[in-house]
């Protein structure tokens, strides 16, 4: 029976529709006179179809149709109304109506057509539901298939892939759908697959194929079958390819093949004679090394001769014991031993044998090394060893006597080294004491100059005394740094100039005048011969800058940079003060300061240049005296 909900605001029309449908067909009809009542019935009952008028209380037929589509899916819906306007028809179909039927005309033919429309709509709905369920079952079957399933159209475009394809290729479904399947394999593989594909379409019969694919840089071996999917008219509509991944099987087979080849290669090229021995003592397989050792060919040996034929009679019994023991309890059998081997021409060779079982079989594999020559050499070596041991004994006694003399000489050298170290330490202490006393004497001189300055009222003379004090302090500072340093021959130029400059800045009260002191001296050490003239040069240049470069509360900076390469010092001294007057011949001044600077630069075999473009900048290149060898 087909259950139908009829919705109409005209009760007589409802009654007539109900009676006609139920009397003349397999229908059960429920009725509703308004949209609201129809909605309540749809919530509590299931119907196979809905037949509705356009004009119903509470909402029109289009609104009711929209609600049904939104909340009840694709239930068949027929608009059965007296309104025949074109826009209503268009709206009905746009919103999902299955049929539109206009009231009026002869009742029997009208209701006959209505019954036909209902059956047709319900039938289509049932066919779609059945198809959807079939597709779901088919898709579930395909998706759960561990093999790869690909469906192609007749142009080779991919229409479907299952989860196995996505997993194996590591490509998303949307990356492959719609693409030409034959673009993925190599050109050679693609040509073969195309031939199979065309054969399926032509013969309408399955085609099988084994091959190799490289997709997204990954290699796959597959065993595939192409199956035609026929349309209703019996023609091929699609081709389904089902591929079983045999990559692991192929790789296993290849690994076994390579393993066997390696085994054969090793067996043939070990450099020793080798044989495989059966349980009954037959030699099952031998290599070229054994052929050369025995004098027989492989055809004469393999499967025909027993190993016992190659053993001298005196060694045979003990070797047969080992043969049996190895197959019964191989842990107790010897793995290595020597025996005498009998060749084809009757020659006896001494052989070192290594023998072990092949796992899972009663066969053993034996390696034979001819040690005949080695045995002869060992005998000769033993004789030579006796002679050599006597010579070693004699030589050892001579070396012991020489060693005693060396030990006495080493003791004398260690004693002399200790005395030299003590003498060196004593000289270092004396040299530090000399530096200390020189520093003290220079400080005394500075103090005497300071005392003397108290009685001098003449300003030029007093200034000369003060400058002399600073020069003495600069020299004393060198000796103090050397006295306190672990290395008594060198001082850090950065520490020395920083200490010297800080003292002069305090002397001239430069910091409170807004004058800065900056250095760029990294890892530069100099000896005393360079430190004293350098200190006097820096003393004069810093003093001149602080006295003359910054008059009338002018602020600025004194900057010193020193770079050292080998024994060459490159020095930049500059200030951003008022600068040396352009008409002043700075190389020939009446004052002592700059004349002392040029003299000290000459003393160090150096050069000095003046740049007056921005303040005062002296560029000096000085040379340390290289130490004598």
């Amino acid at each position: 029976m087909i259950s139908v909900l009829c919705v109409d605001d005209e009760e007589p029309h409802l009654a007539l529709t109900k009676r006609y449908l139920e009397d003349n067909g397999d229908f059960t009809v429920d009725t509703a006179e308004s949209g609201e009542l129809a909605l309540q019935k749809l919530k509590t009952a299931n119907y196979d179809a809905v037949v509705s008028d356009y004009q119903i209380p509470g909402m029109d037929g289009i609104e009711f149709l929209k609600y049904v589509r939104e909340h009840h899916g694709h239930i068949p819906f027929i608009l059965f109304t007296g309104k025949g306007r074109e826009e209503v028809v268009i709206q009905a179909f746009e919103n999902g109506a299955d049929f539109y039927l206009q009231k009026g005309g002869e009742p029997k033919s009208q209701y006959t057509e209505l019954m036909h429309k209902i059956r047709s709509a319900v039938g289509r709905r049932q066919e779609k539901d059945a198809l959807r369920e079939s597709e779901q079952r088919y898709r579930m079957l395909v998706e759960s298939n561990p093999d790869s399933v690909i469906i192609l159209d007749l142009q080779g475009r991919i229409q479907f892939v299952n989860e196995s394809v996505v997993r194996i290729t590591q490509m998303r479904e949307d990356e492959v759908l719609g693409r030409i399947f034959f673009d993925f394999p190599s050109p050679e593989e693609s040509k073969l697959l195309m031939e199979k594909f065309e054969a399926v379409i032509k013969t309408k019969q399955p085609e099988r194929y084994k091959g190799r694919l490289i997709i997204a840089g990954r290699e796959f071996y597959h065993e595939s079958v192409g199956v035609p999917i026929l349309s209703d008219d019996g023609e091929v509509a699609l081709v389904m390819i089902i591929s079983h991944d045999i990559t692991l099987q192929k790789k296993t087979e290849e690994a076994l093949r390579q393993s066997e080849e390696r085994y054969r290669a090793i067996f043939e090229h070990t450099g020793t004679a080798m044989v495989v021995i059966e349980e009954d003592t037959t030699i099952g397989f031998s290599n070229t090394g054994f052929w050369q050792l025995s004098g027989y060919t492989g055809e004469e040996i393999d499967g025909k001769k027993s190993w016992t034929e190659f053993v001298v009679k005196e060694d045979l019994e003990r070797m047969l014991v080992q043969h049996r023991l190895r197959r019964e309890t191989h842990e107790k059998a010897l793995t290595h031993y020597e025996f005498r081997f009998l060749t084809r021409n009757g020659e006896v060779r001494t052989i070192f044998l290594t023998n072990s079982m092949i796992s899972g079989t009663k066969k053993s594999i034996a390696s034979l090394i001819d040690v005949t020559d080695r045995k002869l050499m060992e005998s000769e070596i033993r004789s030579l060893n006796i002679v050599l041991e006597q010579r070693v004994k004699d030589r050892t006694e001579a070396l012991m006597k020489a060693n005693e003399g060396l030990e006495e000489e080493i003791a004398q050298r260690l004693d002399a080294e200790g005395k030299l170290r003590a003498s060196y330490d004593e000289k270092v202490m004396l040299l530090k004491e000399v530096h200390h006393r020189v520093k003290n004497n220079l400080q005394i001189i500075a103090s005497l100059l300071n005392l003397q300055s108290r009685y001098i009222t003449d300003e030029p003379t007093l200034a000369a005394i003060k400058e002399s004090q600073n020069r003495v302090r600069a020299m004393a500072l060198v000796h103090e740094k050397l006295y306190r340093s672990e290395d008594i021959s060198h001082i850090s130029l950065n520490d020395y100039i920083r200490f010297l400059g800080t003292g002069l800045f305090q002397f001239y009260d430069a910091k409170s005048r807004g004058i800065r002191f900056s250095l760029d001296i990294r890892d530069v050490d100099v000896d005393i011969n360079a430190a004293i003239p350098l200190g006097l040069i820096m003393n004069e240049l810093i003093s001149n800058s602080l006295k003359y470069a910054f008059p009338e509360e002018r602020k600025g900076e004194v900057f010193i940079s020193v770079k050292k390469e080998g024994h060459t010092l490159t020095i930049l001294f500059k200030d951003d003060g008022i600068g040396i007057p352009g008409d002043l011949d700075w190389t020939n001044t009446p004052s002592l300061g700059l004349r002392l600077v040029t003299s000290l630069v000459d003393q160090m075999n150096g050069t000095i240049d003046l740049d007056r473009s921005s303040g005062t900048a002296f560029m000096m290149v000085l040379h340390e005296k290289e130490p004598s060898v």
Side-chain angles (χ1 to χ4, degrees):
M1 298 292 287
I2 299 174
S3 60
V4 180
L5 175 63
C6 286
V7 186
D8 200 316
D9 59 343
E10 297 179 7
E11 187 175 351
H13 188 272
L14 272 181
L16 179 61
T17 302
K18 175 177 174 67
R19 185 175 71 252
Y20 200 93
L21 292 178
E22 290 181 344
D23 290 347
N24 295 280
D26 50 347
F27 298 97
T28 58
V29 180
D30 194 5
T31 60
E33 297 176 2
S34 67
E36 183 178 353
L37 180 58
L39 296 180
Q40 291 176 358
K41 286 179 177 289
L42 284 169
K43 290 179 181 178
T44 58
N46 292 322
Y47 299 98
D48 294 321
V50 176
V51 178
S52 175
D53 189 12
Y54 177 75
Q55 290 183 334
I56 54 176
M59 63 181 71
D60 61 33
I62 301 302
E63 293 175 347
F64 179 49
L65 170 60
K66 291 179 179 178
Y67 179 86
V68 170
R69 285 288 171 260
E70 182 177 355
H71 295 89
H72 298 280
H74 297 284
I75 181 172
F77 191 100
I78 299 170
L79 195 63
F80 187 34
T81 179
K83 295 290 184 182
R85 297 196 307 271
E86 183 180 353
E87 64 271 14
V88 174
V89 178
I90 293 172
Q91 285 183 348
F93 285 117
E94 284 180 346
N95 287 281
D98 290 87
F99 292 105
Y100 177 89
L101 190 60
Q102 191 169 354
K103 293 178 183 179
E106 198 274 319
K108 182 179 180 179
S109 60
Q110 185 178 60
Y111 283 109
T112 299
E113 185 177 0
L114 177 60
M115 286 190 293
H116 173 72
K117 298 289 189 188
I118 294 172
R119 287 193 182 96
S120 178
V122 171
R124 286 195 305 184
R125 168 66 183 276
Q126 291 173 344
E127 288 175 0
K128 288 182 180 178
D129 289 345
L131 180 60
R132 184 167 58 253
E133 290 176 5
S134 175
E135 287 179 350
Q136 288 175 348
R137 287 194 298 270
Y138 173 76
R139 178 173 287 274
M140 185 179 300
L141 178 64
V142 172
E143 287 292 356
S144 61
N145 193 335
D147 291 337
S148 300
V149 178
I150 303 173
I151 297 178
L152 309 178
D153 64 15
L154 299 186
Q155 286 73 45
R157 285 189 294 269
I158 299 173
Q159 302 299 309
F160 171 83
V161 292
N162 71 346
E163 184 61 32
S164 180
V165 176
V166 174
R167 174 176 52 79
I168 291 174
T169 63
Q170 296 184 356
M171 297 176 70
R172 298 192 311 274
E173 185 176 355
D174 60 357
E175 289 181 310
V176 296
L177 291 181
R179 294 178 62 181
I180 299 298
F181 171 73
F182 305 103
D183 290 343
F184 288 97
S186 65
E188 297 81 6
E189 184 80 7
S190 180
K191 181 180 178 182
L192 294 173
L193 287 170
M194 181 75 78
E195 291 174 357
K196 294 291 183 181
F197 176 74
E198 291 173 350
V200 170
I201 297 173
K202 182 178 180 181
T203 65
K204 301 181 184 179
Q205 296 295 321
E207 287 282 342
R208 296 187 177 276
Y209 174 71
K210 285 185 179 181
R212 181 177 69 102
L213 291 174
I214 298 177
I215 299 177
R218 299 184 63 201
E219 182 181 60
F220 303 93
Y221 288 92
H222 64 94
E223 185 174 22
S224 302
V225 57
V227 180
I229 299 176
L230 304 180
S231 62
D232 293 339
D233 58 4
E235 296 299 322
V236 177
L238 300 167
V239 175
M240 178 169 62
I241 300 174
I242 303 173
S243 294
H244 180 62
D245 187 356
I246 58 171
T247 304
L248 181 60
Q249 175 186 336
K250 276 287 186 180
K251 289 184 177 179
T252 302
E253 292 173 356
E254 180 64 16
L256 286 173
R257 186 187 63 78
Q258 292 179 0
S259 176
E260 183 177 347
E261 288 180 356
R262 285 196 297 270
Y263 166 75
R264 290 185 178 276
I266 292 170
F267 194 82
E268 282 293 337
H269 301 94
T270 55
T272 62
M274 296 190 74
V275 290
V276 175
I277 300 173
E278 304 291 341
E279 186 177 9
D280 63 356
T281 73
T282 301
I283 297 174
F285 183 77
S286 60
N287 70 351
T288 53
F290 189 81
W291 307 342
Q292 294 168 359
L293 175 65
S294 66
Y296 292 91
T297 65
E299 292 181 354
E300 294 174 305
I301 297 171
D302 296 349
K304 297 175 183 178
K305 285 189 174 292
S306 168
W307 62 263
T308 58
E309 299 177 42
F310 299 94
V311 181
V312 297
K313 184 178 179 180
E314 291 78 10
D315 293 342
L316 182 58
E317 184 57 35
R318 66 182 177 88
M319 291 185 67
L320 284 170
V321 170
Q322 293 298 323
H323 177 82
R324 291 190 295 270
L325 189 60
R326 184 170 291 106
R327 281 153 180 79
E328 293 169 0
T329 53
H330 62 85
E331 294 87 356
K332 295 182 180 179
L334 296 175
T335 305
H336 311 285
Y337 56 87
E338 292 183 359
F339 76 97
R340 286 168 292 175
F341 185 89
L342 192 62
T343 69
R344 185 170 195 165
N345 59 14
E347 183 183 2
V348 176
R349 309 291 295 179
T350 302
I351 299 298
F352 180 79
L353 177 71
T354 300
N355 204 342
S356 59
M357 295 299 295
I358 299 175
S359 179
T361 71
K362 290 291 185 179
K363 301 177 181 181
S364 62
I365 184 167
S367 169
L368 298 85
I369 300 176
D370 187 352
V371 295
T372 306
D373 295 337
R374 192 191 73 186
K375 285 287 185 180
L376 292 174
M377 290 178 62
E378 286 177 353
S379 177
E380 293 179 5
I381 288 171
R382 280 193 293 271
S383 300
L384 290 172
N385 277 344
I386 295 172
V387 176
L388 183 61
E389 285 174 1
Q390 183 60 45
R391 290 181 179 178
V392 169
K393 183 179 178 181
D394 296 341
R395 181 61 177 163
T396 300
E397 291 177 356
L399 287 174
M400 288 179 64
K401 291 180 181 179
N403 190 46
E404 290 174 359
L406 285 173
E407 288 178 351
E408 183 177 352
E409 183 179 346
I410 289 170
Q412 291 173 355
R413 290 192 178 190
L414 288 173
D415 181 61
E417 184 179 336
K419 291 178 181 179
L420 285 172
R421 171 60 62 183
S423 175
Y424 172 77
D425 292 341
E426 181 181 359
K427 286 180 172 59
V428 169
M429 288 298 297
L430 289 172
L431 191 55
K432 283 194 173 187
E433 182 62 24
V434 167
H435 284 306
H436 185 54
R437 294 194 178 192
V438 169
K439 184 263 296 183
N440 287 343
N441 290 336
L442 289 171
Q443 286 182 339
I444 290 172
I445 293 170
S447 298
L448 289 173
L449 289 171
N450 186 45
L451 288 173
Q452 186 64 38
S453 67
R454 296 178 184 177
Y455 302 100
I456 297 174
T457 57
D458 181 52
E459 287 300 326
T461 305
L462 183 60
I465 291 293
K466 294 292 185 182
E467 290 173 357
S468 297
Q469 279 184 282
N470 288 335
R471 294 180 183 118
V472 171
R473 288 194 188 98
M475 290 186 290
L477 182 57
V478 173
H479 291 283
E480 181 176 1
K481 292 289 183 183
L482 289 170
Y483 166 68
R484 297 184 182 278
S485 173
E486 290 295 327
D487 182 0
I488 62 171
S489 61
H490 292 83
I491 64 171
S492 168
L493 197 58
N494 181 65
D495 292 343
Y496 174 47
I497 294 179
R498 186 178 299 280
F499 196 88
L500 175 66
T502 302
L504 290 171
F505 265 60
Q506 290 175 350
F507 180 79
Y508 288 103
D509 195 22
K511 188 174 181 180
S512 64
R513 292 160 52 195
I515 305 172
R516 299 182 307 281
F517 184 47
S518 300
L519 297 179
D520 181 15
I521 307 173
R522 300 178 187 177
D523 302 324
V524 178
D525 294 335
V526 295
D527 59 22
I528 187 172
N529 294 322
I532 289 177
L534 271 174
L536 290 172
I537 290 170
M538 291 299 109
N539 180 80
E540 296 304 321
L541 294 179
I542 295 170
S543 298
N544 276 353
S545 290
L546 297 180
K547 286 192 297 182
Y548 304 117
F550 305 100
E552 299 176 1
E553 300 184 355
R554 181 186 177 105
K555 296 177 174 57
E557 179 184 36
V558 174
F559 173 77
I560 301 173
S561 168
V562 181
K563 310 293 181 187
K564 184 176 182 181
E565 184 174 351
H567 294 284
T568 301
L569 297 166
T570 303
I571 302 173
L572 170 64
F573 176 94
K574 68 176 182 177
D575 64 55
D576 53 2
I578 61 175
I580 296 177
D583 57 352
L584 176 65
D585 182 6
W586 63 275
T587 59
N588 187 25
T589 60
S591 62
L592 177 62
L594 289 177
R595 283 193 290 119
L596 180 60
V597 169
T598 55
S599 175
L600 291 169
V601 169
D602 291 339
Q603 180 181 321
M604 295 186 71
N605 297 322
T607 60
I608 182 170
D609 295 300
L610 172 62
D611 181 2
R612 311 187 208 210
S613 61
S614 178
T616 298
F618 286 100
M619 284 292 298
M620 290 168 276
V621 178
L622 308 178
H623 302 282
E624 277 189 296
K625 185 180 294 184
E626 295 188 20
S628 57
V629 179

